[in-house]
Structures are given as C-alpha cells and as structure tokens.
Amino acid sequence: MPRAIAILASCLALPAAALTVAGCAGSAKSNSFGTFTDCSKIGPVANAPDPDGDQRGVLAGSKPQPQGDLVDLKIARRNGKLCVQFWAAEPIKPYVAYVLAMRPQDAETPLVQLEATVFPGEDPHALLHAGGRDGFRTVSATVGVRDNQLSILVDRKPFDAQGLAKVFDAFRFQARSAVVTADDGRLTDCLPACN
C-alpha cells in the first residue's frame, strides 16, 4: 500500500523552529476543537485496536510523538454516513494527519483515502483521494478532535461523485498516521498491520 505521508506535504517544508511553536486550534483548557462525532451514535461500530509504542521512523535520539501513535480505530456506517474515529496514545496536537485507506472487498483498486490533518490555528478538515485520479480534494465532512480522538463524519455524496459507491458500501481498510517531528523526522503508524 502506498505511504500516506503525502498528506503532510504542506508542513514538511517548514523549518524545525516553526514546528516547536505550534499551538492547537482549541482552547488552552481543553484539547477539543472542530466538531467531534462519537461513531457509536451513527451505527454499529467495527473496532480495530493497535498496540501503543509501535510508531515507525523514529530517528536515533528522537522522541516518539504519541499524538500519532494509533491505539484504536472505530468505524460506523449507516444511512449513507461513514464515521471514522481515530484514537491516539496521547492528546492530539499539530502537526499530524490521519488516513483511512479503503479498498473494495474483492479487488486491490481503487485505493481510496479519507484523510484529516491537524494544523495549528485551524479546525481539522477532510480530504478524499480516489486512487490515481486528481490527488487529494477537500470534501464536506464534520471533523473534530476530543483529547486523544479525532473523528471524521462524511456522507456518500463525494464517493458517488467520483464513482466510488462500491467502495463506500463495502471496503477493506487500513488506518495510518503521520507526524512531523521538531528535528524534521517523520513518524508513521498503521493498523491493523503495516505492509
């Protein structure tokens, strides 16, 4: 599966000094911003836990970035809505991106990626990438952070518009995260397994 690190392309070029100044879009008292959705309120939840402390790409001397260390994923789909809830080892803060990579049940393509990025000073937003087509596109979605969880709630319209209804209706998945560290390192995690 292709690496999902392209989702952080806009912040990879930032100098390390800029990364250490990052603040969250939420208040100082809480680590909640955007509009968080509890996927269990959308429909029956599929759950995929992941061990903590298994990020890849840690450079010698670099500190792990627990906001990108996936420990659980919940997915619910009902009435034309898809909800994805990423759980990290610690509260979520910039710069980090979360991706749900989806493939049809009976084929390797198309590879569809639904992504949310967390940058300082703005609520997270969602992007959709439909395989080898035109790259990531912003999609209408409800995205929010609550402490160590990030949720994406999207309906099937953007999938239908790109001919991806079959993927929306039944898919195999892999969740990925990517973090840029202050020393310009890149840390990734994936579940249920990296391949």
Side-chain angles (χ1 to χ4, degrees), residues 1 56 174 176 190 193-195:
M1 177 177 294
R56 292 179 171 195
Q174 182 180 59
R176 291 182 172 257
C190 49
C194 292
N195 51 6

Side-chain angles (χ1 to χ4, degrees), residues 9 14 21 23 25 32 43 77 86 89-91 112-113 119 138 148-149 178:
L14 291 173
V21 185
S32 297
R77 187 180 55 235
F86 298 86
E90 288 189 11
V112 179
Q113 296 180 82
F119 294 116
T138 300
N148 66 329
Q149 302 169 59

Side-chain angles (χ1 to χ4, degrees), residues 40 54-55 102 132 153 157 185:
S40 67
D54 64 341
Q55 286 177 293
M102 299 170 278
L153 177 64
K157 290 178 187 173

Side-chain angles (χ1 to χ4, degrees), residues 67-83:
Q67 76 269 22
D69 186 2
L70 297 172
V71 294
D72 204 356
L73 179 79
K74 298 187 185 311
I75 300 174
R77 187 180 55 235
R78 180 180 275 170
N79 298 328
K81 302 278 186 195
L82 172 65
C83 183

Side-chain angles (χ1 to χ4, degrees), residues 12 28 31 59 61 64 77 86 96 115-116 122 134 145 147 169 179:
L12 291 177
N31 193 45
L59 302 172
R77 187 180 55 235
F86 298 86
V96 62
E115 143 200 339
E122 65 182 62
D134 300 327
V145 170
D147 298 320
D169 291 336
V179 180

Side-chain angles (χ1 to χ4, degrees), residues 4-26:
I5 294 184
I7 54 183
L8 286 174
S10 62
C11 68
L12 291 177
L14 291 173
L19 298 174
T20 60
V21 185
C24 288

Side-chain angles (χ1 to χ4, degrees), residues 33-76:
F33 45 96
T35 303
F36 182 81
T37 303
D38 179 347
C39 290
S40 67
K41 296 184 178 179
I42 300 302
V45 172
N47 185 59
D50 188 59
D52 59 356
D54 64 341
Q55 286 177 293
R56 292 179 171 195
V58 177
L59 302 172
S62 292
K63 295 201 291 189
Q65 300 292 312
Q67 76 269 22
D69 186 2
L70 297 172
V71 294
D72 204 356
L73 179 79
K74 298 187 185 311
I75 300 174

